[in-house]
């Protein structure tokens, strides 16, 4: 509970007095599409919908240490070299620290103006003047404060108040304001979530800190598509673009092991192939463990229930672990069948057929449903040298280099693994 001191009670109805009539306009007009400032970092540009939009506010959220400062410093350095005026205002690090990072990344000669400041009044006074920049990075919004609020920097009121001032400035002066926001495990509320509805674009940086892959995901974009991802690799020289994520996610794959299935997925407009790994082991606990990394745990519970109820797999007494390799988070229902394949393969201790990708949605009765964009999935799999695809039945696709095996019920997939006992039980029921 946060006390909001001095807020007035909402008045009952409007006070008397006439309002002005609002002006209407036609839908058709000669409004130009929003201009774009491409950063030249392809993965970042795609996630933004083609580049930064002047006069807009962008929020980049993510865990501490994930690489937000690194990426944004790289982006403004590229823009500054193209001749745009770029400011980097840090409230977390001193100018020296920012310089050291720039030096390490080999960007020290980019004409970016750096400052260490936290008072929003000072920042606005500097940005509003004659030498206003085109792009400004505020790292991070949690360290900023406005002096007309008593609460501490990082509190909901301060984060919201500071952001409001900076966004207003962005709209008024036509500059791009990029706000960095930490997502903290416990303090989500004071983090970027309160800002999501205020800014035009929200990007989240995902990935495990131990992994070298970082995924930048657009969750809101007033100027472009959402659900687009950008894939980066963290190296000594900063974040490097990964133009072909499938090859990278599959790089560590070992052929012919049980409990692994390659899912042909779509992220935004791009196909992405990832390996889904499962482990099914007898439990020593009263309630078996179900642990998931990179997928929805309630979706896993559903797939397990369908395997149990419709395909007679006895999973109740077993621990189940599921992992999406490479640190990617999958949200597509099309991954159901791949997850089921990994689970059944782990349960049967038999590998999936070699060079096979799989996708399809599973319904509660065990039926396999068609999914969107099958063609793109198959094309990508063929490109990466896969020979076979397990797909929902009734696929009306063009000819592909792949052999396509169709499934209309989950039990058909289970039958392929020849699990002892499951067949007889199916016959009984
Ligand atoms: N000296 C270094 N050499 C290589 N990588 C480093 C070095 N210092 C920091 N890093 C990498 O940069 C990451 C920190 O990135 P940073 O942009 O500061 O994150 P954020 O701004 O999201 O907190 C670290 O997790 C580490 O992987
Ligand atoms: Mg930082």
């Amino acid at each position: 509970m946060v006390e909001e001191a001095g807020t007035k009670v909402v008045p009952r109805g409007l006070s008397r007095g006439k309002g002005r009539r609002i002006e209407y306009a036609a839908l058709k007009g000669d409004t130009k599409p929003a201009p774009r400032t491409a950063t030249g970092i392809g993965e970042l540009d795609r996630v933004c919908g083609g580049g930064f939009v002047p006069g807009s506010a962008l929020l980049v959220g993510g865990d501490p240490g994930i690489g937000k400062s690194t990426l944004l410093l790289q982006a403004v350095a590229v823009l500054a070299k193209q001749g745009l005026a770029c400011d980097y205002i840090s409230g977390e690090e001193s100018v020296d620290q920012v310089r050291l990072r720039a030096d390490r990344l080999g960007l020290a000669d980019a004409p970016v103006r750096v400052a260490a400041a936290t008072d929003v009044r000072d920042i606005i006074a500097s940005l509003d003047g004659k030498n206003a920049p085109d792009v400004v990075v505020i790292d991070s919004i949690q360290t900023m404060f406005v002096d007309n609020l008593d609460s501490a920097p990082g509190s909901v009121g301060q984060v919201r108040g500071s952001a409001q001032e900076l966004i207003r400035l962005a709209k008024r002066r036509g500059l791009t304001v990029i706000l960095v926001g930490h997502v903290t495990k416990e303090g989500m509320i004071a983090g970027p979530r309160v800002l999501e509805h205020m800014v035009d674009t929200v990007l989240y940086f995902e990935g495990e800190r131990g992994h070298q892959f970082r995924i930048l995901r657009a969750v809101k974009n007033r100027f472009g598509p959402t659900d687009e991802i950008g894939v980066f690799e963290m190296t000594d020289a900063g974040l490097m673009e990964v133009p072909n994520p499938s090859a990278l996610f599959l790089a560590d794959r070992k052929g012919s092991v049980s409990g692994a299935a390659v899912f042909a997925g779509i992220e935004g407009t791009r196909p992405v192939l990832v390996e889904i790994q499962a482990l099914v082991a007898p439990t020593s606990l009263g309630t078996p463990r179900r642990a998931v990394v990179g997928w929805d745990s309630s979706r896993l519970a559903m797939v397990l229930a369908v395997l149990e109820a419709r395909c007679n797999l006895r999973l109740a007494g077993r621990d189940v672990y599921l992992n999406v390799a490479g640190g990617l988070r999958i949200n597509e229902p099309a991954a159901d069948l791949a997850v089921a394949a990994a689970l059944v393969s782990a349960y049967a201790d038999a590998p999936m057929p070699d060079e096979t990708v799989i996708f399809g949605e599973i319904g509660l009765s065990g039926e396999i449903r068609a999914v969107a964009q099958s063609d793109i999935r198959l094309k990508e799999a063929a490109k990466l040298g896969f020979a076979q695809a397990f797909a929902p039945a009734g696929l009306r696709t063009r000819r592909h280099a792949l052999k396509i095996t169709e499934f209309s019920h989950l039990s058909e997939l289970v039958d392929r693994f020849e699990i002892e006992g499951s067949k007889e039980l199916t016959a009984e029921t």
Side-chain angles (χ1 to χ4, degrees):
M1 303 292 278
V2 179
E3 185 189 10
E4 296 259 353
T7 2
K8 291 207 182 69
V9 178
V10 181
R12 280 170 193 237
L14 290 170
S15 57
R16 279 175 184 276
K18 266 204 168 161
R20 262 183 304 124
R21 276 179 192 278
I22 54 170
E23 299 253 339
Y24 293 99
L27 267 180
K28 202 174 160 71
D30 48 8
T31 311
K32 303 227 166 24
R36 299 278 177 177
T37 314
T39 61
I41 302 176
E43 296 289 299
L44 175 63
D45 287 340
R46 194 193 32 257
V47 173
C48 298
F52 297 148
V53 177
S56 75
L58 196 124
L59 173 70
V60 178
D63 291 336
I66 196 113
K68 304 180 292 296
S69 307
T70 307
L71 178 69
L72 293 174
L73 189 61
Q74 287 179 256
V76 289
V78 176
L79 290 175
K81 279 182 183 164
Q82 288 170 12
L84 266 76
C86 298
D87 287 6
Y88 189 98
I89 298 175
S90 180
E92 299 195 332
E93 293 161 310
S94 64
V95 170
D96 284 333
Q97 280 171 304
V98 178
R99 275 189 187 149
L100 284 176
R101 177 183 288 121
D103 200 34
R104 175 165 60 85
L105 303 176
L107 302 170
D109 55 346
V112 176
R113 298 190 301 182
V114 185
T118 51
D119 189 335
V120 172
R121 191 184 291 276
D122 295 348
I123 293 171
I124 290 195
S126 326
L127 298 182
D128 212 2
K130 237 198 300 179
N131 53 356
D134 298 305
V135 178
V136 58
V137 175
I138 305 289
D139 187 2
S140 67
I141 192 68
Q142 272 101 346
T143 56
M144 300 294 147
F145 71 96
V146 283
D147 52 19
N148 54 355
L149 288 176
D150 290 335
S151 47
S155 63
V156 180
Q158 285 288 8
V159 166
R160 205 191 289 152
S162 305
Q164 221 151 35
E165 294 298 328
L166 291 163
I167 292 166
R168 203 173 296 153
L169 178 81
K171 308 274 164 198
R172 190 155 51 83
R173 300 229 40 140
L175 41 111
T176 306
V177 168
I178 303 170
L179 306 173
V180 174
H182 291 299
V183 182
T184 47
K185 291 275 184 295
E186 60 287 341
M188 285 292 261
I189 186 70
R193 285 293 149 93
V194 294
L195 301 178
E196 277 184 355
H197 64 278
M198 295 165 61
V199 296
D200 300 300
T201 305
V202 179
L203 308 181
Y204 276 108
F205 232 138
E206 300 170 358
E208 301 296 316
R209 222 185 316 173
H211 266 294
Q212 74 265 41
F213 310 132
R214 301 283 190 273
I215 288 138
L216 189 66
R217 191 184 290 277
V219 294
K220 166 182 172 177
N221 198 347
R222 286 189 184 143
F223 303 108
T226 51
D227 292 329
E228 211 44 273
I229 63 164
V231 183
F232 295 91
E233 191 174 355
M234 180 60 97
T235 68
D236 283 355
L239 287 154
M240 296 294 156
E241 293 177 62
V242 177
N244 186 354
S246 302
L248 185 127
F249 286 133
L250 297 177
D252 295 333
R253 195 164 57 100
K254 304 271 178 294
S256 289
V257 288
S258 66
V262 178
F263 168 53
I266 301 274
E267 291 288 344
T269 52
R270 253 197 322 185
V272 176
L273 267 52
V274 273
E275 188 179 60
I276 294 181
Q277 304 164 339
L279 180 66
V280 176
T283 186
S284 54
L285 305 166
T287 316
R289 263 184 77 87
R290 263 87 228 253
V292 197
V293 178
W295 208 48
D296 184 22
S297 56
S298 51
R299 198 91 199 166
L300 172 67
M302 191 206 85
V303 172
L304 288 173
V306 174
L307 281 171
E308 191 131 11
R310 309 288 182 195
C311 308
N312 293 307
L313 278 200
R314 271 153 294 159
L315 292 154
R318 292 164 197 255
D319 289 338
V320 173
Y321 301 89
L322 192 82
N323 179 39
V324 177
L328 186 68
R329 233 202 109 71
I330 300 178
N331 298 312
E332 270 192 290
D336 290 355
L337 196 59
V339 168
L343 290 169
V344 179
S345 161
Y347 181 94
D349 196 18
M352 277 277 285
D354 281 342
E355 302 306 328
T356 302
V357 295
I358 181 164
F359 60 90
E361 185 179 344
I362 298 174
L364 283 182
S365 64
E367 83 275 16
I368 311 295
R369 292 156 173 259
V371 298
Q373 295 173 295
S374 304
D375 264 330
I376 302 177
R377 297 172 203 267
L378 294 169
K379 219 164 157 190
E380 176 80 356
K383 201 172 90 190
L384 287 163
F386 284 86
Q388 185 177 208
F390 284 4
L395 215 60
R396 275 179 303 245
T397 59
R398 282 176 272 121
R399 284 189 156 270
H400 286 282
L402 296 167
K403 176 181 169 221
I404 294 171
T405 310
E406 299 194 342
F407 293 89
S408 53
H409 196 273
L410 187 54
S411 56
E412 296 163 25
L413 178 74
V414 175
D415 287 347
R416 289 191 144 245
F417 286 94
E418 292 171 354
I419 295 157
E420 280 172 44
S422 74
K423 265 220 171 112
E424 295 90 275
L425 274 166
T426 321
E428 273 170 39
T429 45

